[in-house]
Structures are given as C-alpha cells and as structure tokens.
Amino acid sequence: MSQAKTNARKCAVQALYQWQMSGESLTRIESYFLEEQHLKGAQKTYFSELFHGVPKQLVDIDAALAEFVDRPVEKIDPVERAILRIGAYELINRLETPYKVIINEGVNLAKDFGAEGSHKYVNGILDKVSQKHRAVEIAAKRAKSQD
C-alpha cells in the first residue's frame, strides 16, 4: 500500500464530501485542491480517478452499497457515504488492488474522518460489497490458505 495512494484517498474523501454538501462543480473543487496544495504527497492521478470516477458511476456504486446498508444511501452520514463510495468504486474497478487493502483503507479513513465507531460500519459494509464483487479473489485466497 503506497502512502501516496493513501493520501489520494484522504483528499478524495474530503473533496467528495465537499461535492456532496455544496453541490459545486467537480472542476471547481478539484481546482481548489490543486491550488491550495492539498494534494501534496498524494498521487494526483489516483485522486483524480477517484474524485471523478465516483460521480461518473454513482448510480452503480450506490446500487452496490444499497444491497447492504441499513438505510437509503443518501441518509448515510456524508463522511461515511464518501468513504463507502470510494471503497465500492475501488472494489468494483481496481481489481489489481487486493480487497483487504481497500477495506483497510476505508476503515482507516473512517477512523480519521468519521464519527466515533464509524469504522465498524464501514468495515461491515465494504466486507459485504467485497464478498459480492470480489468473490473469485476471496475464494482463491481461502483455497490458498487451506493448502
């Protein structure tokens, strides 16, 4: 797990939160992050992929989450919602990144930015999403550990 990608995820959570709350354009928010040096130490291309990829695939991402959350996705706390959306995006699109890394990153983001105990909720939801969208990877890992 690269620190630059971790930092990109942190910035993406903040930027998606801002987008969800303000309704500002993605371009304007991204410019702010670039101009204000918020992306220092972050992999800028990964930030951009997450920040633009989540809104572009929002319907599919929210559908993936909706199967496992206990309320409508729009009713989830905005910070947790941004974290879950990033995690679901990565689980669906970034197959080269191990699912456990994505879940761990989501848990750490929730510990950094979410309400107390929110990391448990994020962990549970992303684990369920991974079981559906990464079933082959999970089965291969289990089979390998039984050898």
Side-chain angles (χ1 to χ4, degrees):
M1 163 172 66
S2 107
Q3 188 60 45
K5 276 192 176 179
T6 295
N7 291 343
R9 289 180 183 98
K10 287 181 178 183
C11 290
V13 166
Q14 294 170 320
L16 285 171
Y17 173 83
Q18 186 174 340
W19 172 69
Q20 292 171 157
M21 299 306 290
S22 71
E24 283 187 72
S25 75
L26 296 175
T27 304
R28 185 177 176 133
I29 294 169
E30 185 175 36
S31 294
Y32 168 77
F33 272 76
L34 290 168
E35 290 167 10
E36 298 298 318
Q37 299 294 313
H38 289 289
L39 296 174
K40 191 172 187 175
Q43 190 177 50
K44 292 176 185 164
T45 55
Y46 204 67
F47 163 80
S48 185
E49 177 187 341
L50 295 174
F51 183 56
H52 290 280
V54 169
K56 191 179 293 181
Q57 296 180 18
L58 195 60
V59 172
D60 293 334
I61 290 168
D62 283 358
L65 293 170
E67 288 185 58
F68 306 110
V69 295
D70 57 349
R71 55 190 167 263
V73 173
E74 287 301 319
K75 298 286 184 187
I76 296 171
D77 174 83
V79 172
E80 291 171 13
R81 188 169 62 229
I83 294 166
L84 288 170
R85 284 174 168 169
I86 287 170
Y89 173 88
E90 288 186 290
L91 286 167
I92 294 167
N93 295 287
R94 300 299 295 207
L95 301 180
E96 74 284 356
T97 305
Y99 74 96
K100 286 191 172 197
V101 169
I102 295 168
I103 294 171
N104 188 53
E105 289 282 299
V107 166
N108 288 335
L109 288 168
K111 287 178 180 178
D112 288 346
F113 297 113
E116 186 174 333
S118 67
H119 66 282
K120 296 173 189 173
Y121 183 72
V122 167
N123 183 55
I125 300 304
L126 291 181
D127 184 57
K128 290 174 184 171
V129 172
S130 72
Q131 289 175 31
K132 179 173 182 181
H133 292 276
R134 297 289 189 94
V136 172
E137 179 184 350
I138 293 168
K141 188 169 184 74
R142 285 187 185 137
K144 188 176 181 180
S145 68
Q146 292 175 355
D147 289 343

